[in-house]
């Protein structure tokens, strides 16, 4: 008899409330939960495809070990953990703790115990080599916050704002930045109906840009230029908030000087946008309505080489116009499963964001507030000498699909003495691994929304805009006869075998602990630890504002009656937000000094390739599932139809796309939402480097076009992964 129960989708950080139907021990249907007060029946295509993801015929039901002939054979998870622990002990004894690294991908983040325990393990062996997907996506968000400081009153709520500015992001698809991800289409529709004027800066007329009041469609890579121009105009026309700036910010004169060269005429020419449209966008953002809103940038803006600068200018523009919650206004994102905090109408000052901790052996890179520079990890594996990485454990990630410079990545992974993946199928990376640990999947584990609360410390414009929380128990058993583990249990198993004591402080990520008033929870694990995930969640929520048991009593989720109001500034507070950071404004001077006309004249690479989100996939996950790919398992090279015709091609033609670094095969597809000089492609597709002839079956790996050591952010190591100069030729 089928049973239907409320659950939580964890494919992305939105954590939609869903209804899951189980029949004969299998997950057979997932829909939106109409009784969930936050989502009200909403879920996306990815969430509704969870039964296909769970029941994927290629799903691993047993862990795998590479055999002598290069194949794979099932191995009991306990035996695999025994062998991996022994190998790690040998490598640490011979090469030192730094020889072991962990990479945490985006699919590990929805499982908070997994990420925290992985970090606890790497610290227990005293290795600094903990890397995440953050530093190859949008690390500039944390760098910018460290340089600028935090506003302790929090964000302006989207549902009250009369204007909003989005740069290089498409939240109707990504559900990540700006428009609240809890049914973003509904949230935007309601905002527009009440009179919001949305401004979007994007080289593509995305689903979000198509609904904007003003859409600036610039040359790629000019986001910092446009932001500097908007700031300059707002300062020149005195459209900023002088009282807020005087009381709460330092560095105004430095900012004004740094943007002074970005005149309206200069920016319009350089970015190739209409002058009047630029002026209108700046004035609308600064003055429209009684409650003007905020500015957020996404992956597209962060991929274009100056991501940290773009994010910093977004914060400077926000502060310049006083776009933060003030005393007496409601707290936009109060905690529920995290400890209560008192929001105050005052700054938290800047803090050290980079240049500390572990120093990598390449490119002068160090640890940062955004994490260790993942783009340098392949070099750390390949570079001989003291400190060389010999072992890598990948949790919830697929470096062969996601990391830049795929050929270098492949050489690095093949050279490792130990590569372990925790993976639900034989992904590209798992096909190179020595061991593949088969984990349980979403509905086979308990879930809670604590991680969705924590993400607000990652950047403005993210997180749950209400005192909402949900807990969901396990809804389906693992398949009969399977041998599956949860990721956090794997790391505990290693620690027991290696006689380690692990501990983690909840909220270690995103600077969350920096703003907690009550002591954060410390969870300790050692060889005597025996506990379930449910018990671990209870420990993680021990000092939450709303007890976990109370949250669990509302099976459809609940918006709690939390009277959270921004408090007055402390009388003795003299802290300031910094809108004049010397390092980042120095980078802006470098942007101004660039010869943009010469770059534009590159006839060998006349197109610029930009990233594009896919509504059906979360990075490389699910690309081979017919339910999600609709018969198209590749990522087209989207081009304007006139650009395709100019090349003498037809939509569907097979082409070679070449950057100055490398080339990939691709299938072109007409898309009139793009500029004629722009190509857009989804990342994290393609096969191994020897499988280019399978382009129509697997797609193209855009990361192969990207070198990691030529153009990169000097702080985070993030290479240019957008605005890539390319040429297109027929095959």
């Amino acid at each position: 008899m089928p049973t239907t129960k409320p659950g939580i989708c964890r494919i992305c950080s939105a954590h939609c409330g869903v209804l899951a139907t189980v029949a004969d021990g299998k997950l057979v249907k997932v829909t939106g939960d109409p009784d969930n007060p936050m989502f009200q029946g909403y879920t996306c295509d990815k969430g509704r495809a969870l039964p296909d993801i769970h029941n994927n015929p290629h799903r691993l039901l047993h862990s795998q070990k590479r055999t002598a002939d290069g194949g794979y054979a099932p191995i009991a998870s306990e035996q695999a953990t025994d062998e991996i622990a022994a190998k790690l002990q040998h490598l640490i004894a011979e090469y030192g703790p730094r020889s072991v690294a962990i990479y945490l991908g985006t699919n590990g983040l929805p499982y908070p115990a997994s990420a925290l325990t992985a970090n606890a393990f790497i610290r227990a062996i005293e290795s600094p080599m903990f890397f995440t997907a953050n530093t190859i996506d949008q690390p500039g968000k944390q760098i910018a916050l460290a340089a600028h400081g935090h506003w302790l009153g929090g964000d302006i709520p989207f549902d009250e704002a009369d204007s909003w500015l989005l740069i290089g992001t498409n939240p109707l698809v990504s559900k990540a930045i700006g428009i609240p991800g809890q049914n973003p289409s509904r949230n935007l529709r309601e905002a527009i109906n009440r009179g919001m004027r949305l401004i979007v800066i994007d080289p593509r007329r995305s689903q979000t840009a198509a609904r904007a009041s003003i859409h600036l469609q610039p040359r790629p890579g000019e986001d910092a230029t446009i932001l500097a121009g908007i700031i300059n105009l707002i300062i020149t026309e005195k459209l900023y908030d002088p009282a807020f700036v005087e009381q709460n910010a330092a560095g105004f004169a430095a900012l004004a000087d740094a943007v002074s060269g970005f005149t309206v005429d200069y920016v319009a020419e350089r970015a190739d946008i209409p002058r009047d449209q630029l002026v209108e966008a700046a004035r609308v953002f600064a003055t429209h309505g009684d409650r003007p809103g905020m500015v957020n940038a996404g992956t597209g803006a962060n991929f274009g080489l100056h991501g940290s600068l773009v994010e910093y200018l977004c914060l400077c523009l926000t502060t310049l116009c006083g776009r933060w919650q003030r005393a007496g206004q409601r707290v936009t994102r109060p905690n529920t499963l995290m400890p209560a905090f008192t929001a105050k109408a005052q700054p938290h000052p800047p803090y050290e964001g980079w240049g500390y901790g572990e120093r990598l052996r390449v490119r002068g890179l160090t640890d940062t507030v955004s994490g260790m520079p993942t783009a340098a990890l392949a070099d750390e594996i390949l570079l001989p000498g003291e400190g060389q990485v010999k072992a890598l454990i990948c949790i919830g990630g697929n470096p062969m699909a996601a990391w830049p410079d795929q050929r270098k990545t492949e050489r690095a992974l093949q050279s490792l003495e130990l590569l372990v993946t925790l993976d639900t199928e034989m992904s590209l990376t798992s096909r190179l691994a020595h061991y593949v640990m088969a984990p349980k999947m979403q509905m086979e584990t308990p879930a809670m929304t604590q991680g969705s609360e924590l993400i607000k410390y990652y950047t403005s414009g993210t997180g749950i805009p209400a005192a909402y929380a949900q807990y969901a128990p396990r809804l389906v058993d693992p398949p009969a006869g399977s041998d599956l583990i949860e990721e956090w249990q794997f790391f505990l198993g290693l620690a027991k075998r290696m006689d380690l004591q692990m501990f983690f402080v909840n909220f270690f990520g995103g600077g969350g602990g920096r703003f907690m008033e009550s002591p954060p929870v410390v969870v300790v694990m050692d060889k005597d630890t025996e506990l379930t995930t449910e018990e671990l969640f209870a420990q993680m929520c021990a000092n939450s504002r709303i007890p976990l048991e109370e949250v669990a009593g509302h099976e459809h989720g609940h918006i709690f009656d939390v009277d959270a109001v921004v408090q007055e500034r402390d009388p003795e507070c003299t802290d300031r937000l910094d809108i004049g950071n010397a390092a980042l404004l120095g980078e802006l001077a470098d942007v101004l000094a660039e010869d943009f006309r010469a770059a534009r004249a590159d006839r060998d690479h006349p197109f610029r390739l930009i990233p594009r989100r896919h509504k059906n996939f979360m990075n490389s996950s699910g690309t081979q599932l017919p339910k999600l790919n609709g018969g198209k398992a590749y990522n087209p090279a989207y081009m304007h139809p006139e650009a395709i015709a100019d090349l003498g091609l037809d939509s569907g033609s097979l082409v070679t796309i070449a950057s100055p670094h490398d080339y990939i095969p691709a299938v072109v597809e007409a898309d009139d939402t793009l500029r004629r000089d722009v190509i857009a492609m989804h990342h994290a597709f393609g096969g191994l480097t020897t499988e280019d002839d399978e382009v129509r079956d697997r797609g193209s790996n855009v990361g192969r076009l990207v070198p990691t050591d030529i153009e990169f952010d000097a702080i985070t190591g993030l290479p240019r992964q957008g605005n890539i100069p390319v040429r297109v030729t027929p095959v």
Side-chain angles (χ1 to χ4, degrees):
M1 186 73 179
T3 60
T4 299
K5 296 181 179 179
I8 301 173
C9 173
R10 282 160 282 170
I11 288 177
C12 77
S13 61
H15 280 33
C16 296
V18 298
L19 293 178
T21 300
V22 176
D24 298 325
K26 293 178 63 176
L27 183 67
V28 296
K29 186 177 181 180
V30 168
T31 63
D33 181 359
D35 294 320
N36 184 290
M38 179 61 65
F39 295 90
Q40 300 177 12
Y42 170 81
T43 188
C44 72
D45 292 342
K46 296 186 288 290
R48 291 189 291 274
L50 274 170
D52 296 82
I53 296 171
H54 262 258
N55 303 316
N56 178 3
H58 301 294
R59 180 187 177 183
L60 293 177
L61 300 181
H62 299 270
S63 297
Q64 304 289 309
K65 179 182 179 180
R66 189 195 295 178
T67 58
D69 62 0
Y72 288 87
I75 181 173
S77 59
E78 289 294 315
Q79 181 183 346
T81 308
D82 288 341
E83 295 180 12
I84 294 167
K87 182 65 174 177
L88 288 172
Q89 287 177 307
H90 168 74
L91 292 173
I92 292 169
E94 185 170 356
Y95 301 109
R98 196 186 190 275
S99 65
V100 179
I102 286 179
Y103 172 68
L104 173 67
T106 49
N107 281 341
L109 296 176
Y111 303 87
S114 303
L116 290 165
T117 311
N119 182 265
F121 173 79
I122 201 75
R123 287 185 290 106
I125 65 172
E126 299 183 349
S127 170
M129 307 300 274
F130 184 76
F131 299 80
T132 75
N134 184 50
T135 52
I136 51 170
D137 186 1
Q138 300 177 65
K141 293 186 181 303
Q142 293 87 62
I143 299 299
L145 276 171
H148 171 270
H150 296 247
W151 180 252
L152 296 181
D155 294 353
I156 288 175
F158 186 84
D159 63 1
E160 294 180 5
D162 295 321
S163 65
W164 210 274
L165 173 57
L166 297 175
I167 307 169
T169 184
N170 185 16
L172 292 189
V173 171
S174 64
K175 294 178 286 297
I177 303 289
I179 303 170
Q182 297 73 27
N183 198 337
S185 182
R186 181 198 67 199
N187 291 328
L188 179 56
R189 181 175 61 251
E190 291 175 351
I192 291 173
N193 288 342
R194 70 167 187 272
M196 173 186 277
R197 296 197 66 185
L198 176 67
I199 306 161
V200 174
I201 300 172
D202 198 319
R204 171 176 169 252
R205 191 176 70 253
S206 67
Q207 292 92 329
T208 305
R211 300 174 67 175
S213 172
I214 301 173
H215 174 209
L216 300 178
Q217 194 167 8
R219 296 180 185 277
E222 298 295 350
D223 302 300
T225 300
I226 296 170
L227 279 166
I230 289 174
I231 292 172
N232 187 31
L233 187 144
I234 287 173
I235 291 175
T236 301
E237 296 191 354
K238 295 182 170 54
L239 302 178
Y240 60 96
D241 187 333
F244 184 87
V245 171
E246 182 179 357
Q247 184 180 31
N248 297 292
F252 175 81
L255 176 64
D257 181 64
V259 300
S260 61
F262 291 87
T263 64
V264 169
D265 290 333
Y266 172 82
V267 172
E269 179 192 0
R270 177 166 175 166
D272 192 26
I273 53 178
R275 180 188 188 282
D276 292 345
Q277 193 183 39
L278 173 63
V279 172
E280 182 188 13
R283 290 174 178 167
V284 165
F285 177 77
T287 66
H288 177 67
D290 298 325
R291 186 87 156 105
M294 301 183 71
V295 52
N296 306 112
T299 300
N302 279 264
F303 268 20
L305 191 58
H306 297 292
S308 297
L309 173 60
V310 167
E311 292 291 348
Y312 182 68
L313 292 176
C314 287
L315 291 173
C316 289
L317 177 56
T318 302
T319 293
L320 189 68
C321 295
R323 301 296 170 72
W324 302 107
Q325 285 293 77
R326 308 295 182 89
Q329 296 174 334
R330 68 182 174 93
V331 176
T332 303
R333 296 182 176 88
N335 287 349
T336 48
L337 284 175
M338 290 171 61
F341 69 94
T342 301
K344 296 180 180 180
Q346 66 187 55
H348 181 289
Y351 46 92
E352 187 177 35
W354 61 90
Y356 58 78
E358 182 68 16
R359 181 169 294 275
L360 298 188
R361 299 180 298 155
V362 296
R363 301 192 280 287
L365 298 170
T366 69
D367 197 359
T368 73
V369 70
S370 59
M372 294 281 280
T374 294
L377 182 48
D379 297 282
E380 288 287 345
I381 295 170
L382 290 169
L383 183 64
E386 185 178 352
Q388 183 177 10
V389 172
K390 299 287 187 176
L392 176 64
I393 302 174
C394 293
I395 171 173
N398 189 2
M400 276 302 300
W403 288 7
D405 201 338
Q406 191 194 35
R407 293 189 200 275
K408 180 193 287 186
T409 298
E410 188 168 10
R411 293 196 305 272
L413 298 185
Q414 289 176 328
S415 72
L416 287 164
E417 294 192 26
L418 177 64
L419 174 59
V420 179
T421 63
L422 291 96
D423 211 331
T424 59
E425 61 182 0
M426 295 300 288
S427 66
L428 295 187
T429 305
S430 292
R431 289 163 58 189
L432 303 177
H434 299 94
Y435 295 89
V436 184
M437 302 300 297
K440 295 178 182 178
M441 296 188 74
Q442 287 197 27
M443 299 299 172
E444 296 160 0
T445 67
M448 63 175 175
T449 54
Q450 188 186 73
S452 286
E453 293 181 40
L454 176 62
I455 200 171
K456 65 172 163 283
Y457 296 108
Y458 171 61
T459 185
S460 62
T462 59
I464 305 174
Y468 166 83
Q470 185 177 8
Y471 172 85
R474 305 169 194 266
L475 298 181
V476 64
D477 292 328
S482 62
D483 176 17
L484 306 174
I485 62 171
E486 294 184 52
E487 290 94 336
W488 74 269
Q489 293 172 329
F490 168 71
F491 288 103
L492 176 58
L494 291 179
K496 288 184 173 185
R497 289 162 173 82
M498 299 169 69
D499 197 19
L500 300 171
Q501 184 182 73
M502 301 191 302
F503 75 92
F504 65 76
V505 180
N506 205 7
F507 318 133
F508 82 91
R514 185 184 303 276
F515 308 105
M516 296 297 104
E517 295 174 357
S518 56
V521 175
V522 179
V523 178
V524 180
M525 299 180 182
D526 56 27
K527 58 183 175 60
D528 297 321
T529 299
E530 298 292 338
L531 79 167
T532 64
T533 307
E534 290 83 352
E535 292 167 338
L536 181 55
F537 279 9
Q539 290 189 41
M540 292 169 62
C541 297
N543 59 356
S544 60
R545 169 178 253 147
I546 307 297
L548 182 61
E549 310 84 64
E550 184 176 346
V551 171
H554 301 274
E555 62 176 2
H556 295 278
H558 190 68
I559 298 175
F560 291 89
D561 185 15
V562 172
D563 184 21
V565 175
V566 179
Q567 302 300 303
E568 295 285 349
R569 181 190 190 99
D570 291 335
E572 69 278 9
C573 178
T574 60
D575 294 327
R576 294 287 187 274
L577 303 171
D578 186 3
I579 57 176
N581 181 271
L584 293 170
L585 292 186
E587 184 178 339
L588 183 60
D590 295 338
V591 171
L592 185 62
E594 292 171 355
D595 186 351
F596 68 90
R597 295 180 183 87
R600 206 180 284 176
D602 183 359
R603 298 189 182 279
D604 289 335
H605 303 91
F607 295 96
R608 291 294 182 269
L609 192 151
I610 63 173
R612 175 171 174 168
R613 292 281 187 182
H614 197 301
K615 71 183 184 71
N616 283 8
F617 306 121
M618 182 66 173
N619 299 330
S620 66
S621 300
T623 58
Q624 300 300 303
L625 285 178
K627 172 80 172 181
L628 289 173
N629 66 37
K632 185 190 292 184
Y634 61 89
N635 52 331
Y638 296 102
M639 300 179 67
H640 194 281
E642 293 177 4
I644 295 176
D646 288 345
L647 294 171
L649 299 170
D650 297 316
S651 186
S653 298
L654 190 64
V655 299
T656 297
I657 298 179
S659 73
H661 178 67
D662 208 330
Y663 65 91
I664 55 174
V667 181
V668 296
E669 184 169 316
D671 182 357
D672 64 4
T673 68
L674 291 162
R675 291 173 53 105
R676 287 184 59 167
D677 55 355
V678 169
I679 302 172
M681 295 186 73
H682 310 295
H683 279 238
F685 277 73
L688 299 175
T689 58
T690 57
E691 298 174 336
D692 286 356
D693 57 344
E694 300 180 26
V695 61
R696 294 188 188 273
D697 298 320
R698 291 184 174 275
S700 316
N701 186 275
V702 177
R704 195 186 303 175
L705 300 174
V706 178
T708 58
D709 56 356
I710 296 176
E711 293 182 298
F712 57 91
D713 186 298
I715 296 172
T716 66
L718 178 69
R720 179 196 287 221
Q721 297 185 108
N723 188 31
I724 305 169
V726 295
R727 66 174 177 271
V728 180
T729 55
V731 170

